[in-house]
Amino acid sequence: MKLLCIGSGYVGLVSGTCFADLGNDVTCLDIDEKKVESLSKGIIPIYEPGLKELVDRNLKLGRLRFTTDSEKVIKECDVIFICVGTPPKANGEADMSFVYGAAENIGKFMDSYKIIADKSTVPVGTAEKVRKIISEELIKRKKNIEFDVVSNPEFLREGAAVKDFQNPDRIILGVSSERAREILAKLYKPVTRADKPILFTTQKNAELIKYASNAMLATRISFMNEFSQLCEEIGADIKVVARGMGLDNRIGSRFLQAGCGYGGSCFPKDVKALAQMLEQHGLTSNLMRTVDYINERQKRSLVPKLKKFLPKLEGKTIAIWGVAFKPRTDDIREAPSLVVIDQLLKEDALIKAYDPEALENAKNNLKKGVFFASNAYEAVEGADALIICTEWDEFREPDFERMKKLMKQHIIIDGRNLYEPEDIEKLGFKYKGVGR
């Protein structure tokens, strides 16, 4: 099929590339000419395992293209995926201007039947609004062209997005016509399995499934982070508590890890947007507001732990391991590390930060007061303490004896509970994890 992804950001680039790898003819449309030029040369702006290889292969085979020419590609394609951003407004509500702008362009240029699928995370009712905008543009042109609007939310985890596309847990399709259902079932057939089904439902159900899924996962994280504080007060171990909970089949072990909070482009934005959505319909948003509150509080919890060992941080050198909000990505949006670094800078501490993939993004966003190390050991050299903000694999089994020789003082604040307290203390470090 001939597919168009409007927006070549994270969702559009991954989805478009993976669709092309299935044999489809895919064009990614973007308004940024420099970005389109770079992508056309195989230079991708994000770190995502396996993506670079797929982009290169499908560019070479001619199945993947990038352009700024919206009129031409809208006319040529069969299915259009809207993959633009929906950033939060000041009140937490999703900014839909990019989605609605894409809908206007589709209405201006389409000249035959199209399926328009919303992949962006959008509030309930967006499919109806997109349909209305496209219809209004067609009326202006005095055109009577059939089209279908579908809700097709993405469930791509940063760091595992290619794998998630190729082997999805489920594919959600909110459709309103049999024609759209048949076409999209055919499109997704190569990645469906007997136990990984396509769920056909209404557009509103599909839109809400995405929000509900992210909100549930965020709630589990905040639930455990709330319990971690109780564990610290009474002398329990949140990792043992989580393991005991996870052995219950009704609960399961996923997303029960306490730490220094969640970040990224999805959970923080979607929790706030869902709270705003509830309030707009005259409903209470107590749970979602609390989930968000606990998360923001958790991000601020590491520096107070450090100050129990170092009451005065002025002039102290603090190493930061991990700037990305999670491993296997270079995304630092809403990352706990940013809050920690801001707290330390306000205390006039000296900061040496290291991340395997996110250093360039960190340098562009943290231009003052932070030294960026080229490796983990350079970061801890001369440091009075180490704070771990991201659970990269390379941090799990470091050379602790080498660290002891490099560090000025032997203090570790473990925001991701990578180590066992007894083991680290036996090595001569002062150690504090989360909920332990």
Side-chain angles (χ1 to χ4, degrees):
M1 292 187 197
K2 291 187 176 181
L3 310 180
L4 169 62
C5 291
I6 299 181
S8 58
Y10 189 87
V11 174
L13 180 57
V14 173
S15 299
T17 301
C18 289
F19 273 127
D21 206 51
L22 295 175
N24 296 289
D25 186 350
V26 180
T27 302
C28 292
L29 173 67
D30 205 283
I31 61 173
D32 187 333
E33 292 184 0
K34 289 184 178 180
K35 186 177 185 180
V36 166
E37 183 179 348
S38 294
L39 286 168
S40 298
K41 296 176 182 177
I43 303 170
I44 63 175
I46 59 174
Y47 171 73
E48 181 62 42
L51 181 61
K52 168 66 175 168
E53 293 80 2
L54 291 186
V55 169
D56 287 345
R57 179 164 72 215
N58 287 283
L59 281 173
K60 184 177 181 180
L61 292 171
R63 295 193 299 234
L64 179 64
R65 290 174 294 279
F66 300 91
T67 186
T68 59
D69 187 350
S70 55
E71 181 175 358
K72 183 176 185 293
V73 290
I74 287 172
K75 288 180 177 179
E76 291 177 348
C77 68
D78 303 311
V79 182
I80 301 172
F81 292 96
I82 298 178
C83 307
V84 296
T86 54
K89 296 181 180 178
N91 64 356
E93 180 183 355
D95 182 348
M96 299 299 295
S97 58
F98 299 114
V99 173
Y100 297 154
E104 286 182 16
N105 273 339
I106 293 168
K108 287 178 182 177
F109 300 127
M110 63 182 285
D111 59 1
S112 61
Y113 173 79
K114 312 286 181 190
I115 293 175
I116 297 94
D118 286 326
K119 269 202 173 294
S120 303
T121 303
V122 295
V124 175
T126 296
E128 293 177 1
K129 179 67 174 176
V130 167
R131 169 174 285 282
K132 182 180 178 182
I133 291 171
I134 294 172
S135 296
E136 289 172 349
E137 291 298 323
L138 291 174
I139 291 170
K140 290 178 186 177
R141 295 169 55 203
K142 298 181 180 180
K143 297 287 186 179
N144 183 21
I145 302 171
E146 288 187 36
F147 66 95
D148 280 300
V149 177
V150 172
S151 179
N152 177 210
E154 53 82 20
F155 297 94
L156 305 176
R157 297 168 297 164
E158 291 191 48
V162 172
K163 178 183 176 182
D164 286 344
F165 186 98
Q166 295 172 338
N167 187 30
D169 289 332
R170 77 287 203 202
I171 296 165
I172 306 297
L173 290 167
V175 299
S176 57
S177 81
E178 189 62 31
R179 184 178 184 181
R181 177 180 176 135
E182 290 178 359
I183 291 171
L184 291 175
K186 181 180 178 182
L187 176 63
Y188 275 111
K189 186 177 181 180
V191 295
T192 56
R193 308 285 188 275
D195 60 337
K196 312 285 186 179
I198 295 179
L199 174 60
F200 289 101
T201 183
T202 66
Q203 294 159 338
K204 288 184 178 180
N205 284 344
E207 290 165 343
L208 194 54
I209 285 168
K210 176 58 186 288
Y211 274 109
S213 298
N214 280 353
M216 173 57 79
L217 297 175
T219 299
R220 285 171 70 100
I221 294 170
S222 284
F223 180 90
M224 297 308 295
N225 281 335
E226 181 84 328
F227 259 70
S228 73
Q229 297 208 343
L230 178 61
C231 287
E232 291 184 15
E233 289 298 319
I234 65 175
D237 188 330
I238 192 65
K239 288 196 76 172
V240 178
V241 172
R243 184 168 185 270
M245 292 170 60
L247 292 172
D248 187 327
N249 289 331
R250 298 170 301 172
I251 298 172
S253 61
R254 301 291 302 278
F255 285 84
L256 293 184
Q257 291 74 39
C260 53
Y262 58 76
S265 63
C266 293
F267 287 6
K269 173 177 69 71
D270 292 352
V271 167
K272 291 181 177 71
L274 185 54
Q276 188 69 18
M277 204 185 309
L278 287 162
E279 292 164 5
Q280 287 176 346
H281 286 83
L283 303 171
T284 60
S285 61
N286 296 346
L287 177 57
M288 292 298 97
R289 294 296 184 193
T290 302
V291 168
D292 181 55
Y293 167 79
I294 292 170
N295 188 60
E296 294 305 313
R297 183 188 66 191
Q298 204 72 8
K299 292 179 182 180
R300 299 190 298 271
S301 69
L302 298 187
V303 172
K305 296 181 193 297
L306 173 61
K307 294 186 75 173
K308 290 182 179 179
F309 296 118
L310 291 174
K312 188 176 181 180
L313 296 176
E314 182 180 359
K316 301 296 184 183
T317 299
I318 311 300
I320 303 289
W321 278 5
V323 182
F325 84 93
K326 61 181 281 189
R328 293 177 292 281
T329 182
D330 61 355
D331 193 346
I332 67 171
R333 286 174 290 183
E334 303 280 348
S337 64
L338 303 183
V339 176
V340 172
I341 290 170
D342 183 63
Q343 287 176 297
L344 293 172
L345 290 174
K346 289 177 179 177
E347 297 274 354
D348 292 321
L350 306 174
I351 300 169
K352 299 175 71 178
Y354 168 70
D355 189 283
E357 295 294 342
L359 282 188
E360 285 304 312
N361 284 339
K363 289 175 183 177
N364 292 333
N365 286 272
L366 300 167
K367 296 183 179 179
K368 293 183 179 179
V370 181
F371 170 80
F372 296 100
S374 59
N375 59 65
Y377 298 107
E378 183 182 10
V380 299
E381 185 174 4
D384 294 284
L386 164 65
I387 298 179
I388 301 173
C389 293
T390 314
E391 62 274 33
W392 286 96
D393 285 343
E394 70 176 80
F395 302 153
R396 294 182 182 276
E397 295 289 342
D399 185 338
F400 288 106
E401 290 302 320
R402 182 180 177 185
M403 290 170 61
K404 282 180 68 176
K405 293 176 182 178
L406 290 171
M407 295 177 72
K408 188 183 299 182
Q409 298 190 63
H410 306 138
I411 300 169
I412 298 177
I413 306 299
D414 186 356
R416 295 301 180 183
N417 287 339
L418 298 184
Y419 315 129
E420 292 302 315
E422 298 84 0
D423 295 342
I424 302 303
E425 288 166 359
K426 285 179 182 177
L427 293 171
F429 289 87
K430 296 177 181 179
Y431 175 87
K432 185 63 179 175
V434 176
R436 316 183 77 186

